[in-house]
Amino acid sequence: DTEVTQTPKHLVMGMTNKKSLKCEQHMGHRAMYWYKQKAKKPPELMFVYSYEKLSINESVPSRFSPECPNSSLLNLHLHALQPEDSALYLCASSHLHKKGNTEAFFGQGTRLTVV
Amino acid sequence: GQQLNQSPQSMFIQEGEDVSMNCTSSSIFNTWLWYKQDPGEGPVLLIALYKAGELTSNGRLTAQFGITRKDSFLNISASIPSDVGIYFCAGQGSQGAQKLVFGQGTRLTINP
C-alpha cells in the first residue's frame, strides 16, 4: 500500500472561515510533508514533520497551522486566508533514513479556492 | 538555495516516439526522483535513484543518476497516449534532509 489519502478533494472557503485539510498514510512513514502547488508550477515545500515533530517551516504565514496528531495523520488548519492562497495543497510522506534519502509519496491533493 | 534546471519545458511528439528529458544542478544531490503529474492530481513517483551512475528502469521508463551527482535524465520509449502529463524531477541535496527540490517540469503532449 503506497497510498496517501487527502480530504477533502475540493474546498471553497471565505476569507473569514476556518477549515482544515487532512492527510493520512499507513505505510509506517515517520516523515510527513505539506506542499503548495500553483497552476503550471512545481510543488513548493511548506512544512515537514519528522517523528511527529515540526522539523521544517519554510517561512509559511501563520494563517497556515500544521498539526501532526500521530504518526499516521497530518492536518493543515486554515484561518483568514487570502485569495492568493488558492492552490493545490499536497500531502506527502516518506521513510526517514540516516542519509536523509527522501522517496516521497504524494496524496491526490486538495484543490483550495479562497473567495 | 539549490535549484534544478529541467529541460525541455514542453515536448510535442508523435505516438510511438521516444522521449528524453533531463535535470541539472549547480550543486551535488544525494537522491534523484522522477514524478509524473496528471491535471488535478498529485505527483506519482516513477523512479528513485540513490547512487551516482545508477541506471534504473520501470517498464518503458529509464532514468539515470549522473556520475557527477549534478544531473539526471529520464527516457520514455515508444510513447503511448497515457504518457501525456507533466514530468518533474526532484532532488535531495546536502542542505537538510527531507527537503526535496523540484524542477520546473516538462509538459509532454502526444499526437496520436
Side-chain angles (χ1 to χ4, degrees):
Chain A
D1 182 9
T2 58
E3 192 169 296
V4 177
T5 303
Q6 288 189 244
T7 56
K9 191 167 175 61
H10 301 277
L11 178 64
V12 179
M13 61 183 291
M15 289 187 282
T16 59
N17 291 160
K18 287 184 180 180
K19 296 288 184 182
S20 296
L21 309 184
K22 297 185 182 299
C23 175
E24 188 170 4
Q25 58 87 16
H26 296 287
M27 294 178 276
H29 291 168
R30 302 306 297 274
M32 297 188 76
Y33 315 78
W34 281 114
Y35 284 82
K36 173 183 178 180
Q37 187 177 27
K38 301 286 273 185
K40 298 184 180 181
K41 296 290 186 181
E44 295 179 10
L45 183 65
M46 300 175 71
F47 303 103
V48 181
Y49 273 82
S50 303
Y51 298 108
E52 297 86 68
K53 293 185 179 179
L54 184 64
S55 57
I56 296 176
N57 177 343
E58 290 288 271
S59 302
V60 178
S62 60
R63 57 185 184 269
F64 296 92
S65 176
E67 178 196 19
C68 190
N70 60 54
S71 60
S72 299
L73 297 175
L74 185 67
N75 300 321
L76 185 63
H77 303 298
L78 314 173
H79 174 53
L81 295 194
Q82 302 297 312
E84 59 265 30
D85 296 322
S86 299
L88 182 67
Y89 287 84
L90 294 162
C91 173
S93 69
S94 74
H95 285 300
L96 282 168
H97 300 286
K98 285 184 179 180
K99 293 183 179 180
N101 293 344
T102 310
E103 189 176 298
F105 293 89
F106 284 82
Q108 287 192 316
T110 294
R111 172 69 60 188
L112 175 68
T113 303
V114 182
V115 297
Chain B
Q2 295 175 311
Q3 293 184 334
L4 292 180
N5 297 311
Q6 185 172 350
S7 64
Q9 290 186 351
S10 60
M11 300 184 73
F12 299 85
I13 64 170
Q14 298 292 325
E15 183 178 351
E17 289 184 8
D18 296 343
V19 171
S20 184
M21 60 192 77
N22 69 85
C23 274
T24 60
S25 171
S26 58
S27 53
I28 290 173
F29 279 74
N30 297 326
T31 303
W32 285 96
L33 306 173
W34 285 93
Y35 291 89
K36 177 177 183 277
Q37 187 173 25
D38 292 328
E41 303 289 332
V44 174
L45 182 64
L46 300 174
I47 293 179
L49 302 160
Y50 298 111
K51 295 181 181 179
E54 180 181 356
L55 184 70
T56 298
S57 293
N58 178 6
R60 294 177 296 107
L61 278 61
T62 302
Q64 186 161 26
F65 193 138
I67 196 70
T68 64
R69 296 170 62 192
K70 293 183 179 180
D71 64 322
S72 177
F73 72 76
L74 174 70
N75 288 342
I76 306 173
S77 62
S79 59
I80 60 178
S82 62
D83 291 334
V84 166
I86 302 177
Y87 292 80
F88 289 102
C89 63
Q92 182 250 313
S94 58
Q95 292 183 359
Q98 300 99 46
K99 220 172 179 180
L100 275 180
V101 178
F102 279 81
Q104 293 300 308
T106 296
R107 181 179 295 274
L108 180 62
T109 303
I110 298 176
N111 299 317

